[in-house]
Amino acid sequence: MTTDAAAPWLIVGLGNPGPEYAANRHNVGFMVADLLAERIGGSFKRAQKAGAQVIEGRMGAPGPASRRVVLAKPASYMNLSGGPVAGLRDFYKVETANIVAVHDELDIDYGALRVKLGGGDNGHNGLKSMTKAMGPEYHRVRFGIGRPPGRMQVADFVLKDFSSAERKELAYFVDRAADAVEALITEGLERAQTAYNS
């Protein structure tokens, strides 16, 4: 990870575009990106760079400790996320280690978080596409959605909206995931892991 405070970070919320997917479990990365956009004083518009909606801003306390960030939501479908992310990386001259993917994770209990650098894709099509385009050495903020109940297929589960019981806590968990992204960027991986990995 770069120690250059002026080097930009690229934060990518993974999801599928379009209102029919907006509340799906698979779109929790978009939900976190929307909240981070609010926090830095912006909102995603239709305008696109490299096939993604983008906002530029700063994170962290004003002054030398603040970090330049580019928030993005790819406008491709989840399994094609790698192309837009690689395009943004090249456009903004971001090191791969300064990219953060925020995504849903089946193998973690609902609402639990894991912050990590590198690793496999664990069958996640968005990560698979990113890794194919750029290699695996980017950060991930993994948002637990749990496993499908009974015999429900994984594809059906991730493309369903959060349940009414889950929605009662969803705003809290999305807020916590946004906090974890900010901690990763302003305080570093180890501190973010200590504070948010559960």
Side-chain angles (χ1 to χ4, degrees), residues 43-116:
S43 61
F44 287 101
K45 307 288 191 294
R46 288 180 184 273
Q48 294 181 9
K49 278 192 181 97
Q53 293 182 299
V54 170
I55 299 171
E56 297 177 56
R58 298 194 79 82
M59 235 172 230
S66 79
R67 297 286 181 265
R68 183 177 158 223
V69 297
V70 178
L71 287 174
K73 296 195 299 186
S76 62
Y77 286 93
M78 178 72 88
N79 59 354
L80 300 173
S81 300
V85 177
L88 291 170
R89 175 200 61 183
D90 295 345
F91 182 82
Y92 288 102
K93 298 178 173 55
V94 179
E95 294 179 26
T96 301
N98 271 27
I99 296 173
V100 183
V102 186
H103 64 91
D104 57 304
E105 178 60 62
L106 286 159
D107 288 334
I108 303 174
D109 289 342
Y110 173 61
L113 297 173
R114 298 279 194 287
V115 183
K116 64 180 288 195

Side-chain angles (χ1 to χ4, degrees), residues 114-115 176 183 187-198:
R114 298 279 194 287
V115 183
R176 195 163 179 272
E187 299 174 36
L189 177 62
E190 285 186 22
R191 286 193 178 186
Q193 288 176 323
T194 299
Y196 294 98
N197 283 14
S198 50

